[in-house]
Amino acid sequence: MLTEHFTTAHWWIAAVVSGLALATAGATLATTRRAKVAGAVTVTAVTGLYTGLKGTGDGAVQALQLYILGTLSLAILRLVFAGWLRRQRERHEAGEPPEQPTARHIAVFLATFAAIVAGIAVTL
């Protein structure tokens, strides 16, 4: 555990940073400026709301850890599957239908998601 020495303040900071990482990852998926801003604002607002409501009192550290686990794993998945998402965007811009994920795509996604969540959980 790399975070044994973390105080509640450290967890708050980590939660805000991981929320911003997810907002950035989500904004890169949007095609219009308005959608990018809306997505980033929404994730940032949810980060503030969640950490504000759950980040106090008993269980605050555990709530913040769960939030970090969820947001950081999604942001990392965005990076891992950047190539596939780029190809989907290129197909969209060319007016072609999106490529349907195969069973192999889904299996790789689920295995990658499980590995990322396990890696982050061990680190926390």
Side-chain angles (χ1 to χ4, degrees):
M1 303 238 326
L2 300 175
T3 57
E4 293 175 356
H5 65 282
F6 272 26
T7 65
T8 305
H10 291 117
W11 286 113
W12 272 73
I13 293 167
V16 170
V17 169
S18 67
L20 291 174
L22 181 60
T24 302
T28 63
L29 295 173
T31 56
T32 65
R33 179 169 170 74
R34 182 177 177 165
K36 288 179 188 221
V37 171
V41 167
T42 301
V43 172
T44 305
V46 168
T47 299
L49 183 63
Y50 182 85
T51 56
L53 294 176
K54 299 289 184 182
T56 59
D58 293 338
V61 170
Q62 185 179 13
L64 293 169
Q65 287 173 338
L66 290 172
Y67 180 81
I68 293 165
L69 181 65
T71 55
L72 199 54
S73 61
L74 291 173
I76 292 171
L77 279 172
R78 167 61 179 98
L79 292 174
V80 170
F81 291 101
W84 190 80
L85 292 167
R86 185 184 66 252
R87 287 191 303 276
Q88 294 300 315
R89 176 174 284 181
E90 289 169 355
R91 290 178 66 90
H92 174 74
E93 290 172 353
E96 299 175 14
E99 176 186 347
Q100 295 300 315
T102 63
R104 182 173 177 252
H105 285 126
I106 294 169
V108 168
F109 173 82
L110 291 176
T112 305
F113 179 69
I116 290 170
V117 168
I120 294 172
V122 168
T123 303
L124 295 179

